[in-house]
Amino acid sequence: MTQVIADAPVARLRFRFRLLIAAAALVAWTLITVFDPLRAGRAATIVGSLAEGPAWSILFAGVFLVILTLACRWRDIGLNLPPTLRSLKLLWFPAIYLLLFFALDALVGPPPLIQVGFLVLNTALAAFSEDLMFRGVMYGALRTRLGIWPSAL
């Protein structure tokens, strides 16, 4: 009970400054993502970066956002399971997209397996990090001030 009472002023501050915290997080997330000291002096092309391993800066940016959401106790970020299995029907368009890539792969020939693995890994890391930043942190912060539709736009 005393923990809840002691947390009340902190919770009010977190809510009051949520948009400011989210804006600062966007700047930090961008800097972490763009400036990758682990890739300094290495290949700058997409193919070169695929051959060299995971995009560590994107992983670090995602970890930064997870730590931030846990520290701020933001529970409305959206990291939950789909409400029903019927909502998985929305994946029909990405499935067509993947089928087109497989068709192109069959026509041209597959790239080296290591490049495919890093492509899948880096794409998943980027999708998670960007989704958490924009649909989670920024949208959640804007929604507290602007409402649903202005925040989405």
Side-chain angles (χ1 to χ4, degrees):
M1 179 78 173
T2 52
Q3 179 66 26
V4 173
I5 294 170
D7 259 357
V10 176
R12 279 195 300 269
L13 280 175
R14 276 195 305 258
F15 178 77
R16 175 180 248 175
F17 294 108
R18 183 169 181 176
L19 189 56
L20 183 62
I21 293 169
L26 176 62
V27 171
W29 175 83
T30 303
L31 291 174
I32 293 169
T33 302
V34 172
F35 298 111
D36 186 0
L38 298 175
R39 290 220 184 257
R42 294 188 184 165
T45 65
I46 292 175
V47 174
S49 65
L50 285 175
E52 291 183 12
W56 292 108
S57 62
I58 297 173
L59 174 67
F60 295 149
V63 169
F64 162 72
L65 292 174
V66 168
I67 291 169
L68 177 71
T69 57
L70 291 173
C72 291
R73 296 184 183 163
W74 293 335
R75 302 288 183 237
D76 60 345
I77 296 299
L79 295 176
N80 18 348
L81 295 173
T84 65
L85 291 178
R86 291 185 67 200
S87 61
L88 294 177
K89 289 182 181 180
L90 295 171
L91 295 176
W92 69 269
F93 188 68
I96 291 174
Y97 195 69
L98 286 174
L99 289 174
L100 290 174
F101 273 114
F102 286 135
L104 180 65
D105 184 46
L107 290 173
V108 177
L113 190 57
I114 190 77
Q115 287 184 348
V116 173
F118 287 136
L119 175 64
V120 169
L121 174 69
N122 291 335
T123 302
L125 289 174
F128 174 76
S129 180
E130 288 178 15
D131 232 27
L132 191 55
M133 182 68 239
F134 294 106
R135 291 188 189 183
V137 174
M138 285 306 296
Y139 174 69
L142 289 170
R143 196 178 61 234
T144 62
R145 301 285 183 208
L146 301 176
I148 293 175
W149 284 107
S151 299
L153 298 176

